[in-house]
Amino acid sequence: MKKRTYIKYVSFLFTLFAVQACSDNLEQAAGISEGTSELQIRLSSFQGEDFPLVSGEDRIESMKAYRFEEGILRKVYDPIKVSSDIYRLPLDRLSGMLYVVANGTSVLDFSIEGSTTETDWLQTVVSTKNGEALHYFTQKIDLSNQSETQPMQASLTRGVARFDFRIKAEGNVSVTDFVFRQVAQQAYFFSDSTVRSPENVVKSDYTVCTPEMPLSQNTSGILYLYEQVNSALSVYLQAVIDGKTYTFEKVLPETIHRNTVYTIVLRKDVLDVEARLEVEAWGNGNGSDLFPDYANRVKVDLLQSELPEGVEVSATKDAVTLPYWETDLLLAVACDNELEALSVSNMYGVTVESVPIKNKFDGLNRFRIRKLLYPPNVANESFSLQFRRKGFQHVYPEDAITFSLSANPTMLSGNMEFGVGKYQFDFERYVDNELGILNLPEGKELLLVYAEGEDEWVKIMPVEGQSDAYRIVAGWRPNDPTANGRKQDVTLVICNRIDGSCREEYTVSRRNYGLPVTWLHGIWWCKYNACGNSRSFEDQVLSSNDPARLAGKTVFEYLADCTPEVFFDLWKWAYQGDSGMGMQVIDKDGVAVMDRYSGQVSAHINRLPSDALSPEGYELPSMEDFNRIFDATDYVWVMWNGMHELKIPWEGHSRIRRTQQRRNDITVGSIALTDLITIEMQSPDFPEYEPIVWYGPGAQWNDAGIYHGHYNNILWSVCSPEEGSGWYLAGSMGGLYLTKNGAGNRDTRVLRFKKSPVEFVY
């Protein structure tokens, strides 16, 4: 064991301590000509690596050097980057004072060679931007004291202080409120012998987290502050620990130093412990404690580890790379102390368990490490598995092994999404056509697996022009008797093409709904009008419960024979505007009207998008769709049976056969709804398909209701966004005929949907 001076920790719920950064030694850059004056520049690091850098802290976006002689700026230099963390600056003379600045050159853009004074320059003030401190670095070098033949070295000092947050409490911890109060928003850009703040400095609060976005884990770099002398600076924190709420408000150090890390520690040892905030400078105390021998850091013991295929250990044995697939390994750690592995965040999908020692050959430290499968589009991650040595009070960053978790080489685009431990994606609605595209790495294949008895409702289609890219396409079954909203699953399996190894399984689900349909001239028409909420499958006649099919009849036959109550329930629905909420025929003071009819409607149904009112996978037919049935060479008198010829035949098929029937046993309230017509239409060229049947209440366009000499002036909803045109059943019962009529916004219409185009039918 070694000894090291430290500040003793006091048992309290909150501890705040600061770590002053120091400069590392710089290695001499190679290839420097003899007699050349050169400055080598790099960033300083924190002492003992106790406080590793937060991502982005060492990012350099700009760097300049400023040389002053006799108090006047004489020259501005641009250092040259030679590696990821080293810059070189050739110097033309070794006299005066040189200031090196990184990431803060925009603050100093007023500098003018030959006129800017060093006194004014050192009074430069830097401000926050939207409450965030600028991450910049500075260093001052007296060139007159430097050698002309040896490379000079400069370690840049950070211009901000960093605050970290640590939780040292057992049980469930959630920080619901965390606020830094009265934070100074301006500071002097350059450091002085003592910390000072500009006069009339602006102060404001900074919120770290709220109850809507609580904090429950250790966080480095939770806030960055400019150096300041600020007696008003404080922190407010509210936390819930195992269901109990604790509130703290403590004054922070009056002097905040730049290039320093402060750590706020939430500590909970017993239920009723005193809460204190205390500031100590690392390395300035009078106590001492044992600390690890850093020359003997923890490393992977390859001999006693059991590492499956795909697991790689670095040459230094302090880093492990895990493959993207599910992995289970036994990791032996070489150390002269017994180790305890600290918990790992659930976000990584990694669990660590200590393996009990069975015999003296096992070694002191063995851990079972399990990692879940990383699905497509989950980025590679890395974390440090931290250990605590038995008998030591503190945890040291050096006692850790870095784990890199590889990303899945398969890429997924589209509407499906998977996560670590989340290998099922449920659309929770009906969906068809393209669900997503998988780009497979070389040597992989994609398979579909169904549960026994499930329909093969998904198809794999290669992407044209792309090797190893596959579309996942969902299909549709006309008049599917199982399409009652049930959950429908398929498992996507990705594995090695040769031996099926490295198997990945992802389950995709949808709700299987379907409306009864019949085919006519290239269109799958719904058999029934929309009911209730037109967008909801639950309100519609489903293919799984088609009353005509269950009765062994066509819809035309069923509407002739069903009870008056059943007929009325199917017949009574009409729609206005864009609400999609059906109106029913009612008796209002002896007049048949649509309930909730309004004379003030802003939206014209026919001008809406085709799927604006329909359930998923269905839509309103267009004028061209209707024309394949209605648009004849002469009047179509629907009060008679007969045949009509289409103006524009569909693929050479021009004839439509009509049959009509009436019902006179339907009532609503005290009103007899007489002569309710039902019309079936069919192409004699396709007798295998059931005819399409038209029915429904007459249109209402004012408060007089739906009766216009009879109840059969049906107005159909048609998708016609540009013209708003449509089809209408006009005339009297002695001369009832089809005509084109788009009508107005307030006119009520029946909705008859068609199946939206689908890539494959199974």
Side-chain angles (χ1 to χ4, degrees):
M1 294 291 182
K2 295 182 179 179
K3 293 279 185 178
R4 143 173 164 183
T5 302
Y6 89 121
I7 292 302
K8 288 186 176 178
Y9 285 20
V10 181
S11 294
F12 43 69
L13 197 60
F14 263 121
T15 302
L16 180 68
F17 59 89
V19 179
Q20 180 67 43
C22 70
S23 301
D24 287 346
N25 292 327
L26 293 171
E27 296 180 0
Q28 181 174 333
I32 299 175
S33 302
E34 183 176 355
T36 300
S37 298
E38 181 176 277
L39 179 67
Q40 298 175 20
I41 307 165
R42 64 178 298 177
L43 303 185
S44 63
S45 60
F46 296 119
Q47 184 177 15
E49 299 181 2
D50 284 331
F51 297 91
L53 290 176
V54 175
S55 176
E57 277 187 339
D58 55 352
R59 182 182 299 115
I60 299 296
E61 297 177 349
S62 65
M63 185 181 296
K64 287 186 180 296
Y66 304 80
R67 181 170 56 81
F68 286 82
E69 286 188 77
E70 297 178 351
I72 301 297
L73 176 62
R74 297 303 179 186
K75 188 163 185 177
V76 179
Y77 302 86
D78 290 305
I80 303 168
K81 187 175 184 180
V82 295
S83 70
S84 61
D85 60 350
I86 297 178
Y87 290 74
R88 57 189 293 264
L89 176 61
L91 294 169
D92 52 349
R93 59 187 292 155
L94 293 180
S95 61
M97 197 67 67
L98 184 73
Y99 296 87
V100 182
V101 177
N103 294 351
T105 54
S106 62
V107 180
L108 304 172
D109 57 8
F110 67 89
S111 305
I112 300 175
E113 294 179 359
S115 61
T116 300
T117 67
E118 187 174 8
T119 300
D120 292 341
W121 206 65
L122 292 176
Q123 298 302 307
T124 301
V125 172
V126 60
S127 299
T128 60
K129 183 177 182 180
N130 298 324
E132 302 287 341
L134 172 68
H135 285 250
Y136 71 96
F137 308 80
T138 63
Q139 188 55 275
K140 175 182 177 181
I141 303 103
D142 187 349
L143 295 179
S144 59
N145 294 329
Q146 305 299 323
S147 168
E148 294 185 357
T149 58
Q150 295 298 321
M152 295 173 285
Q153 301 169 358
S155 183
L156 298 184
T157 299
R158 290 165 176 80
V160 295
R162 187 180 101 188
F163 278 78
D164 293 352
F165 178 63
R166 297 288 180 267
I167 297 174
K168 294 187 177 180
E170 299 296 330
N172 295 320
V173 179
S174 177
V175 179
T176 56
D177 288 279
F178 197 161
V179 180
F180 285 81
R181 291 179 171 168
Q182 294 296 292
V183 176
Q185 302 297 300
Q186 294 88 31
Y188 286 110
F189 189 86
F190 295 99
S191 61
D192 202 347
S193 56
T194 59
V195 177
R196 57 196 181 96
S197 292
E199 294 184 4
N200 302 319
V201 62
V202 175
K203 299 175 183 178
S204 61
D205 295 348
Y206 184 92
T207 300
V208 174
C209 69
T210 63
E212 291 74 26
M213 298 184 67
L215 181 66
S216 59
Q217 61 185 10
N218 295 342
T219 305
S220 297
I222 203 166
L223 180 64
Y224 296 86
L225 302 184
Y226 292 134
E227 70 175 10
Q228 54 195 275
V229 178
N230 185 357
S231 60
L233 185 63
S234 66
V235 63
Y236 169 84
L237 188 147
Q238 181 171 287
V240 179
I241 305 176
D242 284 338
K244 185 176 180 180
T245 300
Y246 298 82
T247 301
F248 309 95
E249 186 163 9
K250 298 294 179 180
V251 175
L252 292 179
E254 182 174 349
T255 301
I256 300 297
H257 297 269
R258 68 176 65 200
N259 205 41
T260 301
V261 176
Y262 296 86
T263 301
I264 297 177
V265 181
L266 173 59
R267 189 186 299 278
K268 175 75 168 59
D269 296 324
V270 294
L271 288 176
D272 297 316
V273 71
E274 180 185 1
R276 296 170 55 192
L277 275 177
E278 190 167 304
V279 180
E280 296 287 353
W282 185 267
N284 292 336
N286 296 319
S288 64
D289 191 17
L290 295 175
F291 75 99
D293 181 354
Y294 294 129
N296 185 23
R297 297 186 177 187
V298 299
K299 296 184 181 298
V300 176
D301 185 338
L302 290 175
L303 185 62
Q304 296 201 60
S305 296
E306 297 175 9
L307 307 179
E309 180 183 359
V311 177
E312 300 177 357
V313 178
S314 67
T316 55
K317 299 180 183 179
D318 59 357
V320 179
T321 300
L322 301 183
Y324 68 88
W325 57 81
E326 186 175 359
T327 307
D328 186 335
L329 65 143
L330 183 66
L331 187 75
V333 181
C335 182
D336 55 1
N337 298 97
E338 186 175 346
L339 299 175
E340 169 196 359
L342 303 188
S343 61
V344 180
S345 171
N346 291 333
M347 67 176 288
Y348 300 117
V350 175
T351 59
V352 181
E353 299 176 5
S354 178
V355 177
I357 300 172
K358 295 181 179 180
N359 57 66
K360 64 181 181 180
F361 302 106
D362 284 345
L364 286 176
N365 305 295
R366 298 204 306 168
F367 302 91
R368 174 68 63 187
I369 298 177
R370 296 181 175 90
K371 184 194 83 62
L372 297 176
L373 164 70
Y374 267 34
N377 298 355
V378 174
N380 59 297
E381 297 278 4
S382 63
F383 69 92
S384 291
L385 178 56
Q386 192 73 58
F387 299 97
R388 186 201 305 273
R389 302 190 185 216
K390 187 174 182 179
F392 287 71
Q393 179 184 2
H394 304 300
V395 176
Y396 297 92
E398 293 83 355
D399 290 338
I401 292 177
T402 299
F403 279 80
S404 297
L405 312 177
S406 303
N408 196 317
T410 297
M411 298 303 296
L412 171 65
S413 61
N415 298 318
M416 299 181 295
E417 183 177 340
F418 303 97
V420 179
K422 300 175 182 178
Y423 311 119
Q424 298 182 350
F425 182 82
D426 191 347
F427 282 94
E428 297 182 340
R429 59 184 176 88
Y430 177 81
V431 62
D432 57 28
N433 291 322
E434 185 175 287
L435 306 181
I437 297 177
L438 280 171
N439 290 81
L440 300 180
E442 185 177 356
K444 294 285 188 176
E445 68 175 342
L446 174 63
L447 307 173
L448 301 178
V449 177
Y450 297 90
E452 185 176 356
E454 181 57 270
D455 299 318
E456 296 184 5
W457 61 279
V458 166
K459 190 174 184 179
I460 300 172
M461 297 183 178
V463 176
E464 186 176 353
Q466 296 186 41
S467 61
D468 296 323
Y470 301 92
R471 301 172 63 232
I472 313 301
V473 181
W476 169 71
R477 169 172 287 175
N479 298 313
D480 185 353
T482 73
N484 58 0
R486 69 183 180 88
K487 189 177 181 182
Q488 202 170 26
D489 299 329
V490 64
T491 299
L492 311 180
V493 177
I494 302 172
C495 60
N496 288 338
R497 182 175 288 117
I498 297 177
D499 59 5
S501 60
C502 296
R503 186 180 178 94
E504 307 168 47
E505 295 186 1
Y506 307 99
T507 299
V508 181
S509 306
R510 74 173 180 184
R511 298 300 179 270
N512 185 26
Y513 280 106
L515 304 181
V517 292
T518 187
W519 185 91
L520 181 55
H521 286 175
I523 305 295
W524 285 103
W525 290 85
C526 291
K527 294 182 180 182
Y528 298 93
N529 293 343
C531 307
N533 180 354
S534 66
R535 300 184 181 96
S536 171
F537 279 111
E538 300 296 337
D539 284 1
Q540 309 311 310
V541 177
L542 298 179
S543 59
S544 59
N545 194 33
D546 180 353
R549 178 184 61 82
L550 294 175
K553 300 177 181 181
T554 66
V555 173
F556 191 69
E557 294 167 342
Y558 181 76
L559 292 178
D561 299 338
C562 65
T563 66
E565 293 77 17
V566 170
F567 183 94
F568 181 73
D569 283 343
L570 292 171
W571 177 89
K572 65 183 179 181
W573 297 99
Y575 295 80
Q576 266 188 318
D578 56 4
S579 73
M581 301 307 297
M583 300 178 291
Q584 307 177 53
V585 177
I586 61 170
D587 177 355
K588 182 178 181 182
D589 300 327
V591 178
V593 301
M594 306 306 303
D595 69 323
R596 297 181 291 103
Y597 174 81
S598 173
Q600 302 296 322
V601 178
S602 60
H604 192 300
I605 285 183
N606 292 6
R607 295 184 181 275
L608 298 175
S610 62
D611 59 353
L613 301 176
S614 59
E616 291 90 350
Y618 297 83
E619 61 187 62
L620 276 177
S622 66
M623 279 297 289
E624 195 275 333
D625 296 334
F626 272 97
N627 291 348
R628 297 183 189 185
I629 307 174
F630 288 173
D631 197 15
T633 57
D634 200 350
Y635 282 96
V636 179
W637 301 104
V638 297
M639 70 285 189
W640 299 322
N641 299 341
M643 184 101 61
H644 59 266
E645 295 282 335
L646 298 176
K647 286 182 182 178
I648 302 176
W650 179 79
E651 296 186 356
H653 304 283
S654 62
R655 295 181 301 163
I656 297 293
R657 180 185 293 123
R658 306 184 310 276
T659 306
Q660 59 84 33
Q661 63 189 11
R662 320 279 177 91
R663 287 196 65 153
N664 288 283
D665 57 348
I666 312 301
T667 61
V668 57
S670 61
I671 305 170
L673 303 174
T674 57
D675 267 342
L676 298 188
I677 196 167
T678 305
I679 309 160
E680 70 171 8
M681 295 185 183
Q682 182 183 37
S683 171
D685 299 339
F686 302 99
E688 66 272 25
Y689 292 104
E690 180 180 337
I692 186 170
V693 180
W694 307 107
Y695 63 91
Q700 179 173 347
W701 51 77
N702 55 35
D703 293 337
I706 67 171
Y707 183 75
H708 311 292
H710 56 87
Y711 297 101
N712 296 309
N713 290 133
I714 302 172
L715 181 64
W716 283 276
S717 296
V718 180
C719 180
S720 180
E722 294 183 1
E723 295 85 10
S725 53
W727 277 96
Y728 175 59
L729 202 53
S732 65
M733 290 308 294
L736 199 60
Y737 63 97
L738 289 168
T739 184
K740 292 181 180 179
N741 190 327
N745 293 14
R746 64 185 180 182
D747 296 67
T748 65
R749 296 166 169 82
V750 297
L751 296 180
R752 179 67 65 90
F753 298 124
K754 70 170 185 175
K755 181 67 186 76
S756 299
V758 65
E759 289 198 61
F760 84 96
V761 174
Y762 63 91

